[in-house]
Amino acid sequence: MIKFNQNITVSSDKVKTGNTAGKAVEDCIVRLLQTKKEVRIIFAAAPSQNSMLNYLTNSKLIDWSKIVAFHMDEYIGLKENAPELFSTYLENHLFSKVTVKQKNTINVHNGIAEELERYEKLLSEEKIDIVCLGIGENGHIAFNDPPVADFNDPKVIKVVELDEACRTQQVNDACFDTFDDVPEKAITLTIPTLMNADHLFCVVLGTKKSEAVKNTLSGVISTACPASILTTHPDCKFYFDEKAFSKNKEITKAL
């Protein structure tokens, strides 16, 4: 593991990366619960989060009965309880293993307009403490792909059309068999909703993410790479494996 600065940590493989990130999230939760009655956390649902979530669910230090959990995006158009749903992913990797104080998942089968209103109210009840997220191959955060990303989005949550690169990534991640199987639309939390959280922990794995990582860390801050906005957050910590960080030699030298 190499720590380039307080915000960028690079580990040799995906498991070590997830464990390092998980330990940091664990420490943050424990610290916050020293002064707070509950901690509100938004979780991403993606293979990049597997090892981190495994670390967290095996933690002996986290009091899950004080955790209010949300997830950040969901497909539109899949059958209820489909294995590809992000709510199903979180059920398998998180909620079936720990008992949280409150589990808030996006249910697209309740009616889209009604669900947007319901979920926005839940998110807005109190400030979000922690966001656990990743970066897409096209630089997206949540499902804020470049064509729909808005750094000043007035909405808390919205319906978006997924771009081709995003849908291709879902096949690359083995979440779907073919491109045509990937839904064309989804619900996502907006960029301001994610950025308004106090603490962000971003885990990124694999060679296919390396260009997005490079653009995030050393490119201009632009919706062409939505994740670039993360570098402006006062407490966003990045956790990369060596493959994801492989195109950042210039950054390595500078640090």
Side-chain angles (χ1 to χ4, degrees), residues 184-196:
E184 297 180 1
K185 292 185 177 182
I187 289 176
T188 186
L189 304 191
T190 62
I191 291 174
T193 301
L194 303 175
M195 291 291 289
N196 284 337

Side-chain angles (χ1 to χ4, degrees), residues 129-155:
D129 297 294
I130 295 172
V131 174
C132 298
L133 74 162
I135 295 174
E137 292 177 16
N138 64 354
H140 73 211
I141 48 178
F143 270 143
N144 296 283
D145 292 330
V148 299
D150 184 351
F151 293 158
N152 299 299
D153 205 314
K155 297 180 180 179

Side-chain angles (χ1 to χ4, degrees), residues 6-18:
Q6 62 179 353
N7 294 324
I8 299 175
T9 303
V10 180
S11 300
S12 58
D13 59 58
K14 60 185 180 181
V15 174
K16 291 179 181 177
T17 303

Side-chain angles (χ1 to χ4, degrees), residues 74-75 77-89 91-92 103 105-110:
E74 189 58 277
Y75 294 111
L78 296 177
K79 294 181 179 179
E80 194 167 0
N81 298 319
E84 299 90 351
L85 285 168
F86 288 153
S87 56
T88 302
Y89 171 94
E91 188 66 36
N92 293 337
K103 176 178 70 174
T105 56
I106 301 168
N107 186 348
V108 297
H109 301 94
N110 282 341

Side-chain angles (χ1 to χ4, degrees), residues 6 43 58 69 77 95 105-106 114 126 166 174 186 194 202 209 212 217 226 233-234 250:
Q6 62 179 353
F43 291 96
N58 283 288
F95 299 131
T105 56
I106 301 168
E114 294 81 2
E126 298 285 347
C166 175
L194 303 175
C202 184
K209 303 287 185 71
L217 298 180
H233 192 279
E250 295 83 2

Side-chain angles (χ1 to χ4, degrees), residues 17 24 26 39 53 59 75 78 105 122 129 140 187 201 206 230 247-248 254:
T17 303
E26 177 188 60
V39 173
L53 289 176
S59 170
Y75 294 111
L78 296 177
T105 56
L122 290 170
D129 297 294
H140 73 211
I187 289 176
F201 297 88
L230 297 176
K247 292 187 177 181
N248 288 275

